[in-house]
Amino acid sequence: MQDTRSNSERATTELREMIFSGALPPGSDHLETELAEKLGMSRTPVREAALTLRAQGLVELRPRRGLRINPVSAKDMADIYDILTELESLAAARAAEARYSRADLATLATAIGDMTEALAQDDLRAWANADDRFHRELVRLGGNARLSMIVSVMRDQVRRARATTLFIRPKPTQSNDDHRAVYQAIAEGDPKTAHDIHHAHRLRARDMLVSLLEKHQFHGL
């Protein structure tokens, strides 16, 4: 049982990375036997992984045709960001209400520092990784496990779209400024400011990403 569980987890992890890297392109169809061969394992863990990926909104299961990698349209991203904006802004307010010490906020501060360094080096991949860490930690500091679970599912969809637009978007200097301002509001115990700054930050991100998807017609995302 333990081996099966481990293979299922490995299959889920590897298939997710193949989806995000484009090795399994949006809109493509794949049989379980094909994927099992790619991963060097039996069909059972691949089938279990497919169910997990379906729950995360990444694939569609098609009877006798395996699975299809789901596209993400500009409309999808607008809808996802609307929800993320409200939930993450709530988490920012709750984090400020918690009156964390500077030591408690060290991970948040480190992510901001890493984003600043990444932009100085024009390393957008490193920036994106640090940005993801900032948002994950912000949600964790909000202290609501159910909110965290919902956000984690939608964050995967955002990651797919952002990977495609990362090198055609404007340099994210405003984003870094927003993160620093949110951090400061949380550190000062100011829920309203933390909420409002993060809310505006996420809305700007939504509008920019949706505009890029529409302009460059990434309908296959």
Side-chain angles (χ1 to χ4, degrees):
M1 176 63 79
Q2 181 61 42
D3 289 342
T4 300
R5 192 159 53 242
S6 296
N7 281 337
S8 175
E9 291 170 357
R10 182 166 70 85
T12 301
T13 298
E14 294 188 18
L15 289 175
R16 278 166 52 87
E17 287 308 312
M18 292 169 75
I19 291 170
F20 293 138
S21 69
L24 298 179
S28 60
D29 294 301
H30 304 274
L31 296 173
E32 290 178 359
T33 50
E34 168 205 342
L35 297 176
E37 185 176 345
K38 284 179 182 290
L39 300 179
M41 59 179 64
S42 70
R43 291 174 59 186
T44 299
V46 170
R47 186 176 303 114
E48 293 170 350
L51 292 172
T52 300
L53 296 174
R54 181 180 64 177
Q56 295 173 352
L58 296 176
V59 305
E60 173 190 357
L61 301 186
R62 299 156 68 83
R64 297 180 297 282
R65 296 172 64 184
L67 57 86
R68 167 166 288 184
I69 310 303
N70 281 340
V72 179
S73 69
K75 176 63 164 59
D76 290 333
M77 291 311 304
D79 291 345
I80 288 169
Y81 260 89
D82 283 346
I83 299 170
L84 274 180
T85 297
E86 300 304 324
L87 294 183
E88 286 194 359
S89 299
L90 175 61
R94 293 289 185 264
E97 291 172 356
R99 297 284 180 169
Y100 289 114
S101 68
R102 294 278 177 170
D104 294 327
L105 301 177
T107 300
L108 212 59
T110 298
I112 293 171
D114 290 346
M115 280 185 280
T116 300
E117 177 63 22
L119 283 192
Q121 301 296 325
D122 287 324
D123 188 342
L124 290 179
R125 291 193 188 280
W127 175 85
N129 288 335
D131 178 72
D132 186 59
R133 282 190 280 121
F134 175 91
H135 286 274
R136 287 178 185 273
E137 179 65 4
L138 177 68
V139 171
R140 188 190 72 80
L141 291 169
N144 186 320
R146 288 181 175 82
L147 185 153
S148 296
M149 180 178 65
I150 297 169
V151 168
S152 69
V153 173
M154 290 184 294
R155 187 184 289 119
D156 286 337
Q157 301 284 14
V158 172
R159 183 183 169 196
R160 297 176 68 202
R162 189 171 67 175
T164 303
T165 59
L166 183 60
F167 295 100
I168 59 174
R169 61 163 292 164
K171 194 170 183 178
T173 52
Q174 177 65 54
S175 181
N176 282 15
D177 291 342
D178 292 343
H179 290 147
R180 282 189 287 270
V182 170
Y183 170 87
Q184 191 62 32
I186 292 173
E188 294 175 355
D190 186 342
K192 185 177 187 307
T193 298
H195 175 281
D196 292 351
I197 292 175
H198 193 75
H199 197 274
H201 163 69
R202 272 312 205 182
L203 288 181
R204 279 193 294 272
R206 179 201 65 184
D207 293 345
M208 181 273 298
L209 182 58
V210 169
S211 175
L212 287 175
L213 292 175
E214 292 175 339
K215 178 180 180 181
H216 296 276
Q217 298 185 336
F218 291 124
H219 300 306
L221 274 173

